[in-house]
Amino acid sequence: MTTLSLTVNGEPVRAEIDPRLSLADFLRENLALKGTHLGCEHGACGACTVVVDDMPMRSCITLAASCEGVRVTTVEGFDDDPVVTRLRQAFRDEHALQCGYCTPGMLATARDIVLRHDRPDTEQIRAELAGCICRCTGYRGIVRAIARVIETKSQATAAKAGTT
Amino acid sequence: MKAPAFAYLRPVSIAEAVAALAEGAGGARILAGGQSLVPMLNLRVAFAETLVDIGAIADLRAVSDEGETVLIGAGVTHATLEDGASGDHWCGMLAFVARDIAYRAVRNRGTLGGSLCHADPAADWPVAMMALGATVQLAGPDGERALASEDFSVDVFTTALEEDEMLTGIRLPKLSPSARWSYRKMRKKAGAFGEAIAAVVHDPARGFTRVVAGSSAVGGPCRLEALEGAVASGSLAAEATIRAALAEREPDLDRYEMQIHATCLRRAMKEVSS
């Protein structure tokens, strides 16, 4: 066993864990944060993507033990995140989910796309999303939702630039 | 599936990590970003009695400008190189290669050194590093040693690392501003491993030219010196010459493999010569 201390959704957490435990299993089984979904469990599908120190990472192929001292944000911890708040509305408006299984990973990934890109075209959004698999909605709604949030971000930036 | 139980160590210095490897006596493995090793442990195609997690060693994330060369810490992530956060002395080549490795969530954890040590034959960094003339810096119980990337890369999933050694950094010569490079990859979808890779670097100011192919089909990075003369002289190699160079190194390529490797090489060489 090894001792782990980290911050999950703003709360300090300490635990004794088996070193082979994945971050995803730690979140789901030890902390009962079932919003992090497991699909392929080898890093290909993106369903388990969470935000670690402000970067999206695969929780299924990240050892919990490697997360000493980090800040993890799961889908349960996005309520005060302004970008995810806008993404959630856009996902609703654009029908960017049906069953919702991929959505926690999609939101963590979409948040990162919005934060790192100012004027991506559809091709770039699709390339950035390539690591997140959705098997029911199709990607058009998801791509539109992300593009819409980036558009409002660009407008806000332009408006801000205009006033200074 | 989950990995069998293993012991876990998290050293904070290179010396501690090397000592942990020695103590593990062959059963200890370095864990860098874990983006290949963790799934392979889970699928039980890789094994470790002890994992030595080097994620807490700050020295491995350092990038030092040495004048003509830059020493990139083995723990620098693909995403850091993609963003150019460690500086660009390679006319954009590192960022270009990094951007197309797996997915951003993987690039945020996966490291340059991890990729080189894992030595997946279809991986990008072993090819790109050989094309740039990198040397790798290794640390072991008897001190440090440096190896040219050609000597470090031994075979599929096999490097020249001894059981008690670790990769600490990658020393890259800077490209001159007038240098040209091309990196071509054929793959089935964004983020997938390449089925064929060709990397060409031509830096006439330094008298440096490299042509490297890579993929599972060719068994990892392979330098094609027979094609470097054409690139250096600015002429275009004939298709037959490219195929002959490939066939000499890898006689068992099937028609499809030959076609995609030759095409990547031809396009890369043409781009550098144009």
Side-chain angles (χ1 to χ4, degrees):
Chain A
M1 300 296 270
T2 189
T3 307
L4 171 67
S5 51
L6 73 171
T7 305
V8 179
N9 297 336
E11 299 288 329
V13 175
R14 270 183 77 85
E16 283 288 313
I17 55 160
D18 190 334
R20 60 177 164 163
L21 186 71
S22 71
L23 174 61
D25 287 343
F26 175 71
L27 295 168
R28 288 177 54 83
E29 307 300 331
N30 296 44
L31 304 183
L33 293 168
K34 306 281 185 175
T36 296
H37 292 169
L38 285 167
C40 70
E41 289 198 68
H42 61 267
C45 81
C48 71
T49 307
V50 298
V51 175
V52 178
D53 287 343
D54 229 31
M55 295 176 280
M57 291 186 189
R58 305 287 208 226
S59 61
C60 75
I61 53 169
T62 298
L63 293 181
S66 297
C67 294
E68 177 64 32
V70 307
R71 287 174 295 112
V72 177
T73 309
T74 68
V75 71
E76 291 93 342
F78 282 141
D79 287 0
D80 297 325
D81 186 293
V83 175
V84 176
T85 300
R86 294 210 302 280
L87 280 165
R88 281 175 165 153
Q89 186 60 49
F91 267 52
R92 273 186 217 111
D93 296 343
E94 299 290 351
H95 297 284
L97 67 148
Q98 273 189 101
C99 84
Y101 200 85
C102 69
T103 310
M106 286 288 179
L107 285 173
T109 305
R111 176 183 180 277
D112 179 60
I113 298 172
V114 171
L115 291 173
R116 282 191 303 113
H117 292 278
D118 285 327
R119 296 201 169 275
D121 57 24
T122 304
E123 281 306 302
Q124 278 173 301
I125 294 175
R126 284 181 175 272
E128 289 279 359
L129 266 187
C132 291
I133 292 174
C134 168
R135 284 289 179 249
C136 69
T137 322
Y139 299 94
R140 298 179 65 160
I142 299 169
V143 172
R144 277 201 308 266
I146 295 170
R148 177 193 277 219
V149 171
I150 292 173
E151 181 66 20
T152 57
K153 178 182 93 160
S154 304
Q155 283 168 0
T157 312
K160 208 171 167 187
T163 57
T164 53
Chain B
M1 219 156 144
K2 308 291 173 183
F6 47 76
Y8 176 84
L9 296 170
R10 194 174 165 80
V12 293
S13 70
I14 291 166
E16 274 180 44
V18 169
L21 284 179
E23 198 156 316
R29 287 193 69 159
I30 295 283
L31 172 70
Q35 299 301 280
S36 296
L37 183 56
V38 172
M40 287 177 77
L41 288 167
N42 286 344
L43 292 164
R44 305 193 179 204
V45 293
F47 297 92
E49 285 164 26
T50 303
L51 278 190
V52 181
D53 184 346
I54 54 171
I57 305 177
D59 284 350
L60 294 177
R61 289 188 295 273
V63 177
S64 348
D65 192 325
E66 303 173 320
E68 311 237 311
T69 55
V70 177
L71 182 64
I72 302 179
V76 170
T77 64
H78 311 319
T80 302
L81 297 171
E82 175 183 9
D83 296 344
S86 51
D88 177 19
H89 301 283
W90 303 278
C91 309
M93 182 170 169
L94 293 196
F96 182 89
V97 173
R99 192 176 300 130
D100 211 28
I101 296 172
Y103 316 108
R104 182 74 181 188
V106 170
R107 297 197 290 274
N108 280 330
R109 286 199 75 76
T111 66
L112 173 60
S115 170
L116 294 179
C117 292
H118 184 58
D120 190 312
D124 292 280
W125 286 131
V127 178
M129 290 298 117
M130 196 179 283
L132 284 165
T135 55
V136 294
Q137 208 51 37
L138 313 180
D142 303 325
E144 294 197 16
R145 64 178 178 136
L147 275 183
S149 47
E150 290 100 309
D151 300 323
F152 182 69
S153 164
V154 173
D155 204 341
V156 173
F157 295 112
T158 310
T159 67
L161 272 177
E162 299 292 341
E163 281 173 349
D164 54 3
E165 277 185 315
M166 63 180 284
L167 173 61
T168 58
I170 296 87
R171 181 165 282 115
L172 274 180
K174 292 179 182 174
L175 288 182
S176 314
S178 59
R180 297 179 63 88
W181 59 269
S182 178
Y183 191 84
R184 296 286 181 144
K185 176 160 72 170
M186 294 217 190
R187 45 157 172 67
K188 290 242 165 75
K189 69 181 274 283
F193 276 110
E195 286 191 47
I197 299 172
V200 177
V201 174
H202 181 42
D203 190 350
R206 284 169 47 238
F208 179 91
T209 306
R210 285 278 171 100
V211 177
V212 182
S215 73
S216 296
V218 297
C222 66
R223 186 174 164 194
L224 299 169
E225 290 173 64
L227 300 177
E228 290 172 359
V231 175
S233 66
S235 58
L236 288 178
E239 182 80 14
T241 312
I242 296 172
R243 286 173 179 256
L246 274 166
E248 194 188 334
R249 282 298 301 265
E250 212 52 55
D252 296 331
L253 292 180
D254 66 25
R255 281 181 64 199
Y256 169 71
E257 290 163 347
M258 176 58 83
Q259 179 72 31
I260 57 175
H261 287 82
T263 301
C264 281
L265 282 164
R266 180 172 29 87
R267 288 176 182 169
M269 290 163 70
K270 189 173 176 195
E271 187 177 358
V272 164
S273 304
S274 64

